[in-house]
Amino acid sequence: MKWKKTAAYAITAVLMSGMLAGCMTKGSGSEAAPKATLKDGKYDPVLTITTAKQLDENAGKYLNGESLNDNVMTRWGVEKLGIKIETTLLGGDAGNYNTKLRLALTGSEKLPDLIPVYDTSLASDLIQSGQVRDITEDIKNFMPDRLKEIYKQYPTTFNPVIQDGKVYGMAISPNLTEGEVMLIRQDWLDKLNLKAPTTIDEFEKVIAAFTNNDPDGNGKKDTYGFDFSGKESYNTGWVSDPVMIFSAYTGKSLPGQWYNDNGKLTYGSVAEGNKEALAKLRDWYSKGYLNKELATQGAWDALADFTEGKAGIIIGRPWLYGSVKDVEKNIPGAKIAAYPTIKGVKEATTYQSGQLNDGVFMFNKDFNNMEAFFLYYDKLYDAAFGTGDFKYGFAKGYDYDIVDGKVVFDSAHFNQPLQNAPSPSKMLFTKNAPTVSEAGKTYYDLANGTKPDTGPLMSAAAADQTTKNGYVISYENRDALLPNAFNGPPTKTMQSSWEQLTTMEKETFTKIIYSKEPLEAYDDFVKQWHEKGGTQITEEVNDWYRQANETDVLSSMGLK
């Protein structure tokens, strides 16, 4: 959770015009273009909506000369709805993306029509700038009923974009994420006559054996037990996550996020139990049970050791198996299995960070085609419901095919086989395909006898068995997911002190784990955290929480 004020405000408008050219100059701003009218569900002439994208996740995965703005999904929008989505890439990572969007707040260039925002500080600054649209009435007047039913279930996702009772954005595809599972080298467990761990003591026994007992049988001490990332925080929330170890001692108070403790929000990194968790990680690190570069490896980078057969356990969402399963191809006999996370020391389970949405949509104040946006956005949900144009998937020959009358999801068996099929869901302005069912429920239903007679169920049935098992485990343990209780804009003291506090937190935790500071340094951190703004921030966060619960914007949006 970062609200870092970037130095990008000082970058010149000349630089900005080069980076933002394209999506910042079209769409709602073209007064010369004839007005498009909606007839029989399609606009004529074609209406353009401009947007920005954090990165091209489909780079190198387009077919037959397709590109960011000319692919199977952009053509579908034009042909079926008369809506053209025109995207400009803004940076290769979240920080760069935010920097480039901030440039539009300092110069003469326009923001795109549709602005995906992934940072609450940036969302707040956009509202303060007066350059984004109040969409309260738009939601009431134009949001289709089935979308309204979805958004009613996630009222707190509006918190970051509410000001003075007005709504300046909406969650991107709200739905509770899937939980995390442990992916373990099953062949290592079998070779060493071990069972998957269910407690912290059993976990320690397993990772010690994975480090010391030559599980790969090569006669060298070149393996270790637990692979995770500590570069950005000790709570990644998606992959390479060590938060399970902290939760084993802290319960529902997770590092880096706020917890609603009987109506009062408390910050997890200063909660009781963190010191014990750090002591355990410190001991494991000194014994070689953990990856030596954990403080410098990002979440995605940390996967490498597991994929290369050096590490025995990694934690992540169930789809992570698809990203690390190459180890089974590259190493004879290698086998990965999915297991639930361990139990806590004081509680029956360990908890994880759960997300309700991946950023928010905001809109240029001059964008006047909200009805068109909602038409397009609602149609994307057909894939989640298994209806309309997307009954089985987004595009025949891309994420599914029909071979000899049967729906096939394995691209290697398409009519025109593909080894690395592009994902149409990554071509959408939502960045990921919208979902509606509880994460993992389709897999759980299949495991309990439901017939795969809809597109979503058929797709789930075609997944790797390890992936299926992981999703079932995730669904069965969904009560362990804890969304951050504070998702509002940075408070007054956060704006001046939060960067310093989070830097101090990260450095203290890492130095303790690396044995560069004594364990008692944690106590000093907690004391300084409170003295240097933490106490005031806690008061402000709780004031925000009370006000958020007292503010009724759902009625004004027609969501009650």
Side-chain angles (χ1 to χ4, degrees):
M1 182 166 48
K2 293 185 178 181
W3 292 281
K4 185 175 181 179
K5 293 295 181 183
T6 176
Y9 289 108
I11 300 179
T12 66
V14 174
L15 176 61
M16 179 185 71
S17 64
M19 289 186 292
L20 303 186
C23 79
M24 303 303 183
T25 57
K26 296 184 179 181
S28 59
S30 180
E31 297 180 4
K35 183 176 177 58
T37 57
L38 182 63
K39 182 178 180 181
D40 298 327
K42 183 176 180 179
Y43 282 91
D44 183 37
V46 173
L47 182 153
T48 297
I49 298 177
T50 62
T51 188
K53 200 169 187 180
Q54 180 173 315
L55 51 83
D56 186 6
E57 297 187 10
N58 236 46
K61 294 185 179 179
Y62 294 101
L63 293 184
N64 303 322
E66 292 182 337
S67 63
L68 179 68
N69 286 308
D70 181 15
N71 56 64
V72 65
M73 295 310 299
T74 59
R75 292 194 296 271
W76 166 83
V78 172
E79 294 167 4
K80 294 289 187 176
L81 304 177
I83 299 174
K84 179 183 179 182
I85 303 299
E86 187 171 291
T87 305
T88 292
L89 298 180
L90 297 182
D93 57 39
N96 202 5
Y97 177 80
N98 291 343
T99 295
K100 291 182 179 181
L101 277 183
R102 285 186 184 282
L103 290 170
L105 303 181
T106 66
S108 59
E109 294 289 339
K110 287 187 176 183
L111 290 164
D113 300 323
L114 173 63
I115 315 162
V117 180
Y118 306 100
D119 178 87
T120 56
S121 178
L122 178 56
S124 177
D125 289 344
L126 283 165
I127 294 172
Q128 298 302 321
S129 76
Q131 295 190 51
V132 290
R133 182 183 180 93
D134 168 12
I135 63 169
T136 313
E137 288 295 318
D138 295 322
I139 290 175
K140 182 177 181 179
N141 296 330
F142 300 128
M143 181 181 275
D145 288 340
R146 76 172 176 180
L147 290 186
K148 286 184 176 180
E149 291 303 314
I150 293 170
Y151 278 82
K152 284 178 183 179
Q153 300 174 50
Y154 304 100
T156 62
T157 62
F158 287 101
N159 288 340
V161 289
I162 295 173
Q163 180 175 288
D164 299 328
K166 297 180 179 180
V167 182
Y168 292 88
M170 52 188 280
I172 300 174
S173 310
N175 198 27
L176 184 61
T177 55
E178 59 274 282
E180 296 175 320
V181 297
M182 289 194 293
L183 294 182
I184 306 180
R185 283 289 297 275
Q186 183 64 47
D187 55 312
W188 287 12
L189 289 175
D190 295 342
K191 183 177 186 297
L192 301 177
N193 295 315
L194 296 169
K195 293 183 179 181
T198 61
T199 66
I200 195 75
D201 291 338
E202 292 176 15
F203 189 85
E204 181 171 354
K205 178 182 177 182
V206 168
I207 63 174
F210 283 179
T211 304
N212 297 321
N213 296 351
D214 192 23
D216 59 358
N218 67 354
K220 301 177 182 178
K221 190 174 181 180
D222 57 356
T223 59
Y224 65 90
F226 184 28
D227 187 10
F228 69 85
S229 169
K231 182 178 180 180
E232 302 299 334
S233 75
Y234 287 94
N235 179 6
T236 73
W238 60 303
V239 296
S240 308
D241 196 356
V243 78
M244 177 185 78
I245 306 304
F246 286 91
S247 181
Y249 296 94
T250 64
K252 296 179 180 179
S253 296
L254 307 182
Q257 73 178 57
W258 296 80
Y259 168 60
N260 181 0
D261 187 5
N262 295 315
K264 181 175 181 178
L265 303 196
T266 59
Y267 186 57
S269 297
V270 295
E272 182 179 347
N274 279 294
K275 188 175 181 180
E276 289 80 359
L278 288 169
K280 183 63 69 175
L281 290 171
R282 175 191 181 95
D283 179 54
W284 291 351
Y285 187 85
S286 69
K287 293 176 178 177
Y289 301 169
L290 312 178
N291 46 320
K292 287 295 184 183
E293 306 301 324
L294 65 89
T296 61
Q297 290 183 325
W300 205 253
D301 297 328
L303 304 180
D305 279 358
F306 188 88
T307 306
E308 293 169 7
K310 298 177 182 178
I313 299 178
I314 197 162
I315 296 173
R317 296 182 189 172
W319 51 259
L320 175 61
Y321 171 70
S323 298
V324 299
K325 67 179 181 180
D326 278 354
V327 69
E328 295 180 334
K329 297 179 181 178
N330 299 332
I331 299 177
K335 175 63 180 174
I336 300 171
Y339 290 97
T341 52
I342 64 172
K343 300 175 183 177
V345 173
K346 297 180 180 179
E347 299 194 39
T349 187
T350 50
Y351 296 88
Q352 309 165 16
S353 178
Q355 291 179 295
L356 294 176
N357 59 294
D358 186 10
V360 294
F361 283 137
M362 303 183 83
F363 303 84
N364 190 308
K365 66 179 177 59
D366 297 324
F367 180 57
N368 295 312
N369 289 306
M370 291 298 297
E371 185 176 12
F373 162 77
F374 278 117
L375 172 65
Y376 195 102
Y377 183 39
D378 180 62
K379 290 295 184 182
L380 296 184
Y381 270 89
D382 279 353
F385 287 99
T387 58
D389 290 338
F390 307 138
K391 183 177 181 180
Y392 302 117
F394 284 109
K396 185 173 177 287
Y398 288 77
D399 53 354
Y400 78 95
D401 204 351
I402 298 177
V403 181
D404 297 329
K406 294 183 179 180
V407 182
V408 175
F409 295 92
D410 183 348
S411 62
H413 296 97
F414 284 0
N415 288 305
Q416 294 183 3
L418 298 171
Q419 292 303 315
N420 293 297
S423 174
S425 67
K426 293 296 183 183
M427 303 176 193
L428 311 177
F429 57 45
T430 54
K431 194 166 76 169
N432 294 297
T435 57
V436 289
S437 64
E438 291 182 278
K441 189 175 187 301
T442 51
Y443 298 88
Y444 178 83
D445 290 344
L446 287 171
N448 286 275
T450 298
K451 294 182 179 179
D453 54 6
T454 67
L457 284 167
M458 290 178 184
S459 179
D464 294 306
Q465 189 60 49
T466 304
T467 299
K468 293 180 188 178
N469 296 342
Y471 273 106
V472 171
I473 292 168
S474 171
Y475 180 76
E476 291 174 336
N477 293 279
R478 61 195 181 280
D479 290 343
L481 290 169
L482 298 176
N484 197 337
F486 176 70
N487 67 338
T491 69
K492 180 179 180 180
T493 306
M494 276 181 168
Q495 293 175 27
S496 59
S497 303
W498 193 250
E499 181 180 353
Q500 178 187 10
L501 292 177
T502 53
T503 298
M504 179 174 63
E505 173 186 326
K506 173 63 174 60
E507 290 179 350
T508 301
F509 281 31
T510 298
K511 287 179 179 178
I512 289 174
I513 294 172
Y514 277 37
S515 294
K516 292 183 178 180
E517 291 280 358
L519 185 59
E520 289 70 28
Y522 176 77
D523 299 322
D524 185 52
F525 155 72
V526 173
K527 181 174 182 294
Q528 290 190 55
W529 187 88
H530 285 287
E531 292 176 350
K532 293 182 177 181
T535 296
Q536 181 62 31
I537 288 172
T538 301
E539 292 179 8
E540 293 170 358
V541 165
N542 277 279
D543 287 342
W544 166 86
Y545 186 71
R546 284 189 292 271
Q547 292 175 14
N549 285 325
E550 293 170 358
T551 303
D552 177 20
V553 294
L554 294 186
S555 296
S556 58
M557 292 186 291
L559 297 181
K560 270 194 173 182

